[in-house]
Amino acid sequence: TVYYAKVLKQDVGAAVDLLSDMLTGSKHDEAAIEAERGVILRELEEIEKMPEEVIFDRLHQTAFQGSSLARTILGSVDNIKSISRNDILDYISTHYTGPRVVVAGAGAVEHEQLVGLADKAFGALPDTPASGKKVAVPPATWVGSDIRVRDDSLPQAHVAVAFETGGWTDGHAVPVMVMQQLLGQWDRTDGSGANVSAGMCRELAEGNFVHSAMTFNTSYKDTGLFGVYFVAEPNTVFNATAVTMHNLARMATEVTDLEVERAKQQLKTAMVMQLDGTTAVCEDIGR
């Protein structure tokens, strides 16, 4: 959960006070909770109509069965309808403690100034949950499995295949990021045609097998998902899957030094571009 403000230099103190009040002084009015409940239910309904969102929810549900990563961000309809003000207050008193809060800033703010403001605004947060509960973070268990949902009303097939990774702290985190660049991404609407450096995307484009394809790398604390997601016509799914799996396997045997060096340069460029602006820098520091 992130509370964020972007203000002028002279308003940094007021912004920290405002964020502190939101975090520690919210009234959680019953009427406001009911209004937000309706908003979340409508948002959930809209997301269920977006295959590109649904497929990654389903992917997590099958890959991490029985663990918290299998749950969607918005939660189930039953939970949304039943959550009460007391549930929210209990969650806050359990999880909103000093050791679990990070204050980050970027841009026109001095480090010492932010430290002083944070200490004043958040220094009173308890070190342990008021209820005495211990916040358990069970490890996510990977389950090799698949889930298939057939809907003949959809014009295209949405397919995702993924493998488990070690997460942000794993020694292979950076090589996996390079692999993401090696496999690449492509969309028929980009205008570049089949002129892409990534071999997998070029092969998919030249064969007219997909509408779009992208390599994803989602990292968590101690696990993650690395794989390929593509959108294809029903009669080209087999070919698209064959090309995708061949190129994933090729990562272990046939990648050239030139391809690796190009992917490393692309990764460096992408990382720098992602930090273009104080908003992105602040989020990176916070993470």
Side-chain angles (χ1 to χ4, degrees):
T1 303
V2 178
Y3 297 80
Y4 176 78
K6 190 168 187 175
V7 298
L8 297 174
K9 182 177 182 179
Q10 63 267 26
D11 297 324
V12 171
V16 174
D17 286 341
L18 177 61
L19 294 174
S20 173
D21 185 55
M22 293 170 60
L23 184 70
T24 63
S26 295
K27 295 181 178 180
H28 306 289
D29 182 70
E30 291 281 5
I33 292 174
E34 288 303 319
E36 190 62 25
R37 194 193 310 277
V39 171
I40 296 173
L41 287 170
R42 288 191 296 273
E43 185 177 349
L44 182 61
E45 185 178 348
E46 290 301 314
I47 288 178
E48 287 294 330
K49 299 176 183 177
M50 303 166 64
E52 64 274 17
E53 295 286 343
V54 173
I55 192 167
F56 283 98
D57 285 342
R58 300 292 183 268
L59 181 63
H60 281 74
Q61 287 171 5
T62 191
F64 299 110
Q65 297 175 38
S67 65
S68 58
L69 284 178
R71 303 169 191 155
T72 62
I73 294 176
L74 291 178
S76 67
V77 172
D78 289 341
N79 285 346
I80 296 170
K81 289 182 176 180
S82 63
I83 192 169
S84 66
R85 181 175 185 272
N86 287 335
D87 292 329
I88 296 173
L89 293 176
D90 181 62
Y91 180 88
I92 292 174
S93 65
T94 301
H95 293 84
Y96 284 19
T97 58
R100 294 176 61 85
V101 173
V102 172
V103 179
V109 57
E110 297 294 333
H111 175 74
E112 293 301 327
Q113 176 196 15
L114 187 59
V115 170
L117 291 170
D119 184 57
K120 178 183 176 182
F122 302 102
L125 285 174
D127 293 332
T128 58
S131 60
K133 297 179 181 178
K134 290 186 178 180
V135 180
V137 185
T141 303
W142 171 267
V143 180
S145 56
D146 75 303
I147 183 169
R148 308 180 192 191
V149 179
R150 179 167 179 167
D151 186 346
D152 291 334
S153 67
L154 294 177
Q156 291 96 28
H158 295 253
V159 180
V161 57
F163 304 87
E164 184 186 21
T165 64
W168 281 119
T169 58
D170 186 75
H172 294 111
V174 173
V176 169
M177 294 167 68
V178 175
M179 286 174 56
Q180 183 181 12
Q181 297 297 323
L182 277 167
L183 293 167
Q185 62 181 9
W186 179 81
D187 193 296
R188 185 176 290 177
T189 62
D190 283 346
S192 60
N195 301 310
V196 290
S197 60
M200 180 188 74
C201 291
R202 185 169 60 251
E203 193 173 348
L204 290 170
E206 289 175 346
N208 199 28
F209 295 143
V210 299
H211 286 258
S212 63
M214 76 166 190
T215 311
F216 58 87
N217 176 31
T218 306
S219 294
Y220 300 105
K221 180 181 178 181
D222 57 356
T223 188
L225 288 173
F226 173 83
V228 176
Y229 161 58
F230 64 80
V231 181
E233 294 292 331
N235 62 345
T236 62
V237 170
F238 179 85
N239 289 332
T241 303
V243 170
T244 299
M245 298 309 295
H246 168 73
N247 279 274
L248 284 168
R250 194 176 74 87
M251 292 294 99
T253 57
E254 301 178 14
V255 179
T256 67
D257 290 339
L258 176 61
E259 287 179 295
V260 173
E261 186 58 33
R262 181 170 56 211
K264 287 164 64 177
Q265 296 304 319
Q266 290 173 332
L267 176 59
K268 292 177 184 178
T269 302
M271 294 180 71
V272 172
M273 291 180 66
Q274 286 173 1
L275 298 180
D276 183 19
T278 56
T279 301
V281 171
C282 185
E283 180 180 353
D284 186 65
I285 293 171
R287 289 181 182 276

